[in-house]
Amino acid sequence: MLMKKWLSSALLAIALAGLAFGASAEGAAKPKLKTYGEVEFLKAFSGKTRKQVADALGQPVKKEMSSKPTNAENVIGRPLDTSKPSNVEMWYYTNRVKYDATHTYKTTEITFLNDRCNNIAFFNNR
């Protein structure tokens, strides 16, 4: 009988220790993401592929695909060249680029044209 109580107490202690360890591991702070200066970011990612950007920055917070407006030909005043289709995708990251010593842009948009980084924009108003 004494052995059963001791064994159940030991198992309970192990289970509680496991729960405490698991809770502390989950409650631990996430690793701080690297932040870049504006010029440093532009030099690091201009012309890079989606894979290279994802390897360095991780997956974006949001992705969007572009679409051609219905009246695009009327706006530019000529027919569009559809012989070479383009794939345009925008990736959005938050708080990754510094504009001074203590502040970061809220949003960084990276635009890929046919799998290459073609444009980078920084925003605080989105």
Side-chain angles (χ1 to χ4, degrees):
M1 181 77 164
L2 184 61
M3 184 67 163
K4 263 188 174 179
K5 282 186 180 182
W6 180 85
L7 185 57
S8 64
S9 296
L11 290 175
L12 181 62
I14 291 170
L16 289 176
L19 286 175
F21 177 77
S24 65
E26 289 176 5
K30 292 181 182 178
K32 188 168 182 165
L33 298 174
K34 180 177 183 197
T35 56
Y36 299 82
E38 292 173 89
V39 175
E40 176 188 13
F41 192 88
L42 294 171
K43 286 181 179 179
F45 298 108
S46 293
K48 301 294 188 216
T49 65
R50 288 182 185 123
K51 181 178 179 351
Q52 290 170 318
V53 171
D55 288 347
L57 296 175
Q59 287 302 310
V61 173
K62 180 172 78 168
K63 292 181 183 181
E64 290 184 358
M65 296 294 290
S66 71
S67 60
K68 182 184 86 165
T70 55
N71 63 345
E73 292 178 344
N74 294 336
V75 171
I76 64 170
R78 62 178 170 79
L80 294 172
D81 179 16
T82 57
S83 62
K84 296 187 298 184
S86 296
N87 177 358
V88 180
E89 184 175 1
M90 288 78 66
W91 286 10
Y92 297 92
Y93 291 91
T94 56
N95 300 318
R96 297 304 292 267
V97 179
K98 292 181 182 182
Y99 60 88
D100 67 23
T102 59
H103 297 95
T104 60
Y105 287 105
K106 290 179 185 174
T107 306
T108 301
E109 177 187 85
I110 302 175
T111 304
F112 294 96
L113 175 62
N114 297 331
D115 195 43
R116 290 278 175 189
C117 177
N118 191 41
N119 188 50
I120 298 173
F122 311 115
F123 301 99
N124 273 332
N125 59 353
R126 286 190 173 200

